[in-house]
Amino acid sequence: MNSQRTEPTDRVGFIGLGNMGAPMATKLASWSGGLTVCDARADVALPYLEQGADFAPTGAAVAERTTVISIAVVNDAQVRDVVTGQDGVLSTAKPGTVVAVHSTISDRTAEELATECASRDVEFVDAPITGGAGGAEHGRLAVMVGGSDIAYERVRAPFGCFADLIVHAGGVGAGTAMKLARNLLHFVAFTAATEAQRLAESAGLDITELGKVVRHSDAVTGGAGAIMLRENTSPIAEGDFWLPILSHVRDLGEKDLSLALDLGARLDVDLPLAELALARLGPGLGVGVSNVPESA
């Protein structure tokens, strides 16, 4: 492709000034090459204009003025329209332009759009983000980039305005796959939190106070991410550094899950995720189930 490494003098475009896009674009307002913003609501662009950015009414108009374009809209359909629609980015994008989609879309959509972009000598990256609006406001987002090495190198500098962790996950679609894996953990954990609340409530506890304890301890321990340090998920062999560490995690988890299930049974509270966790924790950690008898 005819791509070139991004220099600070290149102009960046940002399409979609919603809850996440707005603070991200605000961080890009300091980009030395300049910023062009675009949103269906022209009035939301006013704060960026006051900071020196300019406004473009369509994706096509953005692409006429910029060579790196970030897109943060709602879903696959909107992304497709912004990229390939009648007034979309590809209708005017110059060869060597990099189109980066921050929305969480299907990996198949990412691959299809990459093919269409390549036919115009345009680079495509799926670059979903995590960290929430607060992370965006403080420049603390994590970005998972799927795309070529060339495209990754080109987006690193502008992405650094709103993110303090930029990971090259692999080729197109890999960024999305990583985001989906991350969000699987996120929302399964949310569901587990509701189960924990039901148990605590049935035990007569203040679930607001429980929430305080959870947030406090997760901030100290790192939560579930604290165990995500291995290079693969294969069973752990004897003599491996991780075997005693994750066996200890399993033993503690099986003990505490068993105690929680016992409490739930006495309170007549169904805890299906806890039951699954008890059965799958050890195998998932790669250390198998505990050999300790249930009565121990």
Side-chain angles (χ1 to χ4, degrees):
M1 284 198 176
N2 190 29
S3 301
Q4 303 173 17
R5 185 182 177 89
T6 297
E7 299 296 337
T9 54
D10 290 339
R11 193 169 191 87
V12 173
F14 202 100
I15 302 174
L17 303 174
N19 290 337
M20 288 300 297
M24 292 167 68
T26 296
K27 289 296 182 183
L28 278 166
S30 62
W31 179 250
S32 59
L35 175 68
T36 296
V37 297
C38 176
D39 193 276
R41 306 154 299 163
D43 58 304
V44 302
L46 291 177
Y48 308 96
L49 304 187
E50 293 171 356
Q51 297 179 69
D54 65 2
F55 176 76
T58 65
V62 171
E64 287 176 345
R65 309 175 199 178
T66 63
T67 52
V68 173
I69 303 170
S70 282
I71 299 171
V73 292
V74 176
N75 53 35
D76 291 51
Q78 289 188 8
V79 169
R80 286 184 183 277
D81 186 56
V82 167
V83 176
T84 65
Q86 183 175 357
D87 292 317
V89 166
L90 282 186
S91 64
T92 60
K94 299 173 284 294
T97 297
V98 178
V99 176
V101 173
H102 300 297
S103 314
T104 302
I105 57 175
S106 165
D107 57 320
R108 291 182 175 179
T109 298
E111 291 167 358
E112 292 166 3
L113 289 174
T115 298
E116 294 192 53
C117 285
S119 70
R120 310 288 184 92
D121 202 18
V122 169
E123 291 271 10
F124 178 92
V125 298
D126 53 310
I129 52 179
T130 185
E137 290 172 4
H138 295 97
R140 295 294 311 277
L141 293 177
V143 188
M144 297 148 279
V145 179
S148 70
D149 291 342
I150 291 173
Y152 172 67
E153 289 300 325
R154 293 197 59 197
V155 299
R156 283 176 62 191
F159 286 5
C161 293
F162 52 73
D164 60 355
L165 177 62
I166 305 166
V167 174
H168 191 190
V172 171
T176 297
M178 186 175 284
K179 174 65 182 290
L180 294 178
R182 189 271 172 273
N183 276 10
L184 180 148
L185 171 63
H186 192 61
F187 291 111
V188 168
F190 276 13
T191 307
T194 68
E195 194 166 286
Q197 286 178 311
R198 291 198 303 274
L199 178 64
E201 189 172 50
S202 297
L205 304 177
D206 184 332
I207 62 173
T208 301
E209 293 302 308
L210 171 64
K212 292 178 183 178
V213 171
V214 170
R215 291 191 296 276
H216 180 277
S217 59
D218 280 1
V220 175
T221 67
I227 66 157
M228 301 179 75
L229 301 171
R230 297 178 60 207
E231 295 180 355
N232 59 65
T233 59
S234 301
I236 301 175
E238 288 292 335
D240 190 293
F241 168 82
W242 289 110
L243 184 61
I245 296 172
L246 294 183
S247 293
H248 179 63
V249 172
R250 175 206 59 199
D251 293 346
L252 287 177
E254 288 183 351
K255 174 181 70 69
D256 290 356
L257 286 166
S258 296
L259 290 171
L261 284 165
D262 177 67
L263 177 60
R266 287 185 280 114
L267 296 173
D268 196 26
V269 179
D270 189 29
L271 302 173
L273 284 179
E275 292 175 358
L276 281 172
L278 179 59
R280 299 181 183 180
L281 176 62
L285 290 171
V287 295
V289 295
S290 172
N291 294 319
V292 178
E294 285 187 19
S295 59

